[in-house]
Amino acid sequence: MALLKVKFNQKKRVKLAQGLWLMNWFSVFAGILVFSMGLFLKIELRKRSEVMDNSESHFVPNSLILVGILSCAFNGFAGKICYDSLDPAKFAKWKPLLKPYLALCFVFNILIFFVALICFLMRGSLDSTLAHGLKNGMKFYRDTDTPGRCFMKKTIDMLQIEFKCCGNNGYKDWFEIQWISNRYLDFSSKEVKDRIKSNVDGRYLVDGVPFSCCNPSSPRPCIQYQVTNNSAHYSYDYQTEELNLWRRGCREALLSYYSGMMSSMGAVTLLVWMFEMSVMVGLRLLHTSLESIANPEDPECESEGWVLENSLKDTFKSALENLKKLGKFNQVEAGAEGAEGEEGGKTPAITTIS
């Protein structure tokens, strides 16, 4: 029994073709939207590529860009088919191509669903990328005189101000690295010498943070040095909520920003997938309804359209049988080639009579 079997007359076929033509052009615009989302996400990721460890995060925008381009191409072509289906003479040239085209549409819809899925699932990979990238970026914060790294201080400062964050996981991350350049340290000072000597790696570590970690909403002036020393400041306790530094780490802030963006894009892509599936089903109905016309010379006669010629179970069984036959056919061909090779390799025996 055919799946989603529908009876059509000429009027219904014309309405279906016109409706599909319109839907395909809507899908072209949807493809442009998906392409634009991928391009926007790629630009946003490139803005902060200095604090990202690798290029894995670009897999999502690249996939969205690819899907957008393919959507425009596929739906533009389908729109032309639907338009030509109104004229039997023009539609005849498309008949041999429709089955392969519908198969490609099915594969394309699987790709769209996969891309929508990875938009929701790439959070873990992005988390790891940001964690390593921010850690390395903070190490290079002090290298303002080093070519290739002199921009890192500005990048980190602008990041912390824009996203209202501090450090990788929090402000205490700055206590574990030397973020003050040696050119600004007085090595004749006893305090500086003692701090450097007290560290195994010879680094100048302080319980302080860059100015960009300061919360401008705090009523008291920013305390960015001797953050953990309560006695160094009047009426101060660094463990209270009144600490005037951003408490949230930049990894969490960036992850929340990009995850929210990708989730929204995934939802839009999922809607596009549902729309594309409905277009594919409609195109299949149009194709079968035109092919099943009993008398091609009488376009006004009734016909039947369906999505699958048999039930879903029977179609699945038939596909498995075809795959098995194909496998056996390849084995037979390989065996025949081997036998021919053996026969060709035999040397005829020569008998000499004396």
Side-chain angles (χ1 to χ4, degrees):
M1 185 179 175
L3 183 68
L4 288 178
K5 197 172 186 179
V6 184
K7 283 190 176 183
F8 288 92
N9 53 30
Q10 187 188 22
K11 190 177 179 181
K12 283 185 177 180
R13 285 194 296 268
V14 169
K15 281 186 176 180
L16 178 62
Q18 290 173 340
L20 283 171
W21 178 84
L22 190 61
M23 287 177 72
N24 274 296
W25 285 110
F26 274 126
S27 295
V28 170
F29 290 119
I32 294 170
L33 175 63
V34 172
F35 174 84
S36 303
M37 289 192 307
L39 198 61
F40 174 74
L41 180 58
K42 194 171 184 70
I43 292 168
E44 284 296 303
L45 288 170
R46 281 196 177 277
K47 279 182 183 177
R48 298 167 186 94
S49 58
E50 296 90 354
V51 293
M52 292 188 178
D53 186 48
N54 52 48
S55 59
E56 282 180 15
S57 54
H58 288 275
F59 180 69
V60 174
N62 290 341
S63 300
L64 288 169
I65 289 169
L66 176 64
V67 164
I69 292 170
L70 289 176
S71 180
C72 292
F74 270 91
N75 289 293
F77 184 69
K80 173 65 175 171
I81 293 173
C82 294
Y83 182 79
D84 286 349
S85 66
L86 297 171
D87 185 352
K90 289 182 179 179
F91 182 71
K93 66 181 179 181
W94 298 116
K95 275 189 177 181
L97 298 173
L98 271 172
K99 278 189 177 178
Y101 175 74
L102 284 166
L104 284 172
C105 281
F106 181 72
V107 174
F108 174 61
N109 278 292
I110 292 173
L111 175 64
I112 295 177
F113 184 77
F114 173 72
V115 171
L117 203 61
I118 62 171
C119 285
F120 295 107
L121 299 178
M122 282 296 286
R123 182 184 173 91
S125 175
L126 188 62
D127 188 8
S128 174
T129 295
L130 287 169
H132 289 92
L134 282 166
K135 189 176 181 181
N136 291 330
M138 288 170 65
K139 285 179 182 177
F140 302 142
Y141 182 89
R142 65 174 180 165
D143 296 339
T144 51
D145 298 326
T146 306
R149 296 178 187 171
C150 54
F151 60 88
M152 190 56 73
K153 178 185 180 299
K154 181 182 176 182
T155 301
I156 296 291
D157 282 333
M158 293 302 294
L159 178 70
Q160 293 188 146
I161 292 169
E162 183 182 351
F163 286 90
K164 299 179 179 180
C165 59
C166 185
N168 188 350
N169 297 307
Y171 68 92
K172 289 184 179 179
D173 292 337
W174 288 108
F175 300 172
E176 300 170 5
I177 62 170
Q178 181 181 338
W179 55 274
I180 301 173
S181 176
N182 286 338
R183 69 179 293 189
Y184 302 113
L185 295 176
D186 180 12
F187 286 95
S188 62
S189 169
K190 184 178 182 300
E191 183 189 349
V192 173
K193 287 180 181 178
D194 290 344
R195 280 190 178 274
I196 292 173
K197 285 179 182 179
S198 64
N199 185 264
V200 176
D201 299 323
R203 295 178 297 170
Y204 181 75
L205 302 182
V206 293
D207 57 342
V209 297
F211 78 98
S212 52
C213 283
C214 295
N215 180 359
S217 301
S218 175
R220 83 180 287 160
C222 183
I223 296 174
Q224 64 179 110
Y225 295 108
Q226 295 186 339
V227 175
T228 58
N229 187 358
N230 292 337
S231 60
H233 313 282
Y234 177 74
S235 185
Y236 174 73
D237 183 2
Y238 83 95
Q239 292 181 331
T240 65
E241 294 181 1
E242 295 177 5
L243 185 70
N244 55 0
L245 302 175
W246 299 119
R247 288 184 172 272
R248 186 168 67 156
C250 289
R251 179 182 60 82
E252 183 189 342
L254 282 171
L255 187 62
S256 176
Y257 174 70
Y258 285 119
S259 295
M261 191 185 295
M262 287 195 290
S263 295
S264 300
M265 290 178 179
V268 172
T269 309
L270 206 57
L271 288 173
V272 171
W273 170 75
M274 293 169 69
F275 194 73
E276 290 283 355
M277 285 293 290
S278 63
V279 170
M280 186 182 70
V281 170
L283 193 60
R284 173 63 176 167
L285 287 171
L286 180 65
H287 166 226
T288 51
S289 66
L290 288 168
E291 275 201 334
S292 63
I293 293 175
N295 185 9
E297 295 179 1
D298 181 18
E300 294 186 6
C301 67
E302 290 189 348
S303 63
E304 290 183 340
W306 56 83
V307 175
L308 293 176
E309 195 170 358
N310 301 311
S311 66
L312 196 62
K313 186 178 179 181
D314 292 338
T315 304
F316 184 69
K317 283 183 178 179
S318 177
L320 283 176
E321 285 174 6
N322 288 333
L323 286 172
K324 286 178 182 178
K325 285 178 183 178
L326 185 64
K328 287 178 182 178
F329 180 72
N330 289 335
Q331 287 177 3
V332 169
E333 277 193 340
E337 286 176 4
E340 285 177 7
E342 286 177 5
E343 286 178 5
K346 289 180 181 177
T347 55
I350 300 173
T351 307
T352 53
I353 302 172
S354 56

